Amino acid sequence: MKSIYEQALGDTYQLLHPKLQERYRLTGDAVFTGAGRMEEISGGSFAVRAMMVLGIRARLFFPERGRNIPFVIHNKVSRDAKGQETVHWDRTFDFRGKKRHFDAVMKWDSEEEQILDLFGKPALLGSSLSLHVDDKGAMHISSRSQWLPLFGMRIPLPRVFHGAAQIVESYDEERQCFRIRVHVRNPLFGTLFAYKGSFTGTRKDGSGGSRNEA
């Protein structure tokens, strides 16, 4: 069975770096666990960061910023009420013992043939995603339409309220690790937050086997 990322990229999935192909082949009982450090977490005015305090309990946003921040990432697959595979993205950042989270779930929308990204626990924000592979085999993910999920409906957000995300994940052959860059920007407030760093990880499948991905 193809992962939601293979479905989104189609034939171009094969253009991904081989390590990224393994990394994003998340289906069935596959689990990926990674750990590394963020070189820098930045962005957001004082007012924006004050508002992000409200997202801490929902594991959605956090106001802390800094350099050389340890983090872990955990991906697993489950099925929703409709039996569709859902990929969990649980990210934890350690600010000198203060844990902050940025969690989401992604699922495939077969009608619109795109990935949907739902942020927070419970989900407080939704976004459709666009994916492509560059000439170096890196994965590029960008947000498109955004909405508030409410009672099974999507309440569209005007573009002025969007947090437009640009994500690039690549594999560094020299350092034998994954590299990640995330930049989220709003038309009115500019950069809301950004981070860049590197990590290594292990992928396990349902048979109990494991594979070191970096």
Side-chain angles (χ1 to χ4, degrees):
M1 183 175 180
K2 292 184 177 181
S3 72
I4 62 174
Y5 309 100
E6 292 175 275
Q7 293 179 68
L9 288 171
D11 293 341
T12 64
Y13 189 84
Q14 303 304 317
L15 301 178
L16 279 173
H17 188 284
K19 289 288 188 180
L20 286 172
Q21 290 187 42
E22 286 294 327
R23 160 107 172 85
Y24 280 92
R25 195 167 285 122
L26 294 166
T27 188
D29 296 323
V31 174
F32 178 89
T33 302
R37 287 182 178 269
M38 288 298 167
E39 299 168 19
E40 182 179 22
I41 300 177
S42 61
S45 64
F46 177 82
V48 166
R49 291 167 62 181
M51 291 178 62
M52 286 185 174
V53 172
L54 300 175
I56 292 176
R57 293 183 67 119
R59 301 169 73 95
L60 177 58
F61 298 121
F62 51 85
E64 287 80 7
R65 302 292 185 263
R67 295 177 180 271
N68 198 30
I69 306 299
F71 82 102
V72 295
I73 181 169
H74 185 71
N75 297 120
K76 68 176 182 178
V77 183
S78 66
R79 290 190 177 273
D80 64 15
K82 297 180 180 179
Q84 295 178 303
E85 286 199 334
T86 299
V87 182
H88 298 253
W89 287 75
D90 296 339
R91 289 154 284 207
T92 302
F93 304 86
D94 189 344
F95 292 90
R96 297 184 180 180
K98 183 185 294 183
K99 300 291 175 53
R100 293 293 185 244
H101 307 278
F102 181 33
D103 295 348
V105 296
M106 296 185 188
K107 60 179 64 179
W108 178 249
D109 184 334
S110 57
E111 292 185 5
E112 299 183 20
E113 296 190 330
Q114 61 184 350
I115 291 176
L116 305 182
D117 199 2
L118 300 171
F119 300 94
K121 291 183 178 178
L124 299 179
L125 176 66
S127 175
S128 59
L129 301 179
S130 175
L131 282 65
H132 77 272
V133 183
D134 69 20
D135 58 4
K136 295 181 180 179
M139 171 79 89
H140 290 246
I141 303 175
S142 57
S143 58
R144 299 170 65 185
S145 60
Q146 295 187 351
W147 65 88
L148 300 177
L150 189 64
F151 302 117
M153 300 183 294
R154 300 182 194 175
I155 309 301
L157 277 177
R159 190 162 296 277
V160 71
F161 295 127
H162 279 202
Q166 297 287 337
I167 301 107
V168 182
E169 188 171 329
S170 59
Y171 188 78
D172 188 326
E173 288 281 0
E174 183 176 347
R175 294 180 57 192
Q176 294 288 289
C177 66
F178 297 97
R179 298 196 62 83
I180 181 72
R181 299 198 314 270
V182 173
H183 186 196
V184 180
R185 189 179 187 282
N186 174 267
L188 288 180
F189 300 103
T191 298
L192 300 179
F193 70 91
Y195 58 75
K196 59 181 180 179
S198 61
F199 61 96
T200 58
T202 301
R203 183 181 182 275
K204 295 183 179 180
D205 58 35
S207 63
S210 63
R211 182 176 302 174
N212 192 335
E213 292 298 312

